[in-house]
Amino acid sequence: MNTELTIVANYRPEVLERILRVVRHRGYQVTEMKMVLENEKVWVDLTVTSQRDVCLLVPQLKKLFDVIDVTCESCD
């Protein structure tokens, strides 16, 4: 199942690596990614796929230090 996530984070050189590491460690595969850097903030649109429910991933991403917000259409 493909699910789209939108992540807003403070810009730091390592923030994208941290996000992708959590996604991979939790058993999800990134199928599409778009990133925009604006005003010291990063907007990352990820499309992930997995047999697992994506609602399990959202709280893990929100725990990351520089992540401000994570939105998911299927978890609201």
Side-chain angles (χ1 to χ4, degrees), residues 57-71:
L57 177 62
V58 172
Q60 299 301 316
L61 290 170
K62 286 183 177 181
K63 288 180 186 178
L64 292 173
F65 180 72
D66 287 310
V67 171
I68 297 167
D69 188 37
V70 180
T71 56

Side-chain angles (χ1 to χ4, degrees), residues 2-3 9-10 55 59 62-63 69 76:
N2 284 340
T3 307
N10 293 316
C55 295
K62 286 183 177 181
K63 288 180 186 178
D69 188 37
D76 291 338

Side-chain angles (χ1 to χ4, degrees), residues 1-3 5 23 28-31 46-50 54 57:
M1 175 169 48
N2 284 340
T3 307
L5 300 168
V23 170
Y28 299 85
Q29 181 180 7
V30 176
T31 57
L46 288 179
T47 302
V48 296
T49 186
S50 179
V54 76
L57 177 62

Side-chain angles (χ1 to χ4, degrees), residues 3-40:
T3 307
E4 211 173 297
L5 300 168
T6 301
I7 303 164
V8 181
N10 293 316
Y11 174 70
R12 303 218 0 149
E14 66 277 4
V15 74
L16 184 59
E17 290 178 46
R18 288 182 181 160
I19 290 168
L20 293 175
R21 183 176 46 223
V22 168
V23 170
R24 183 175 54 87
H25 280 279
R26 296 296 174 185
Y28 299 85
Q29 181 180 7
V30 176
T31 57
E32 189 175 336
M33 182 175 73
K34 177 183 171 190
M35 185 182 102
V36 176
L37 173 61
E38 204 174 280
N39 298 329
E40 298 299 315

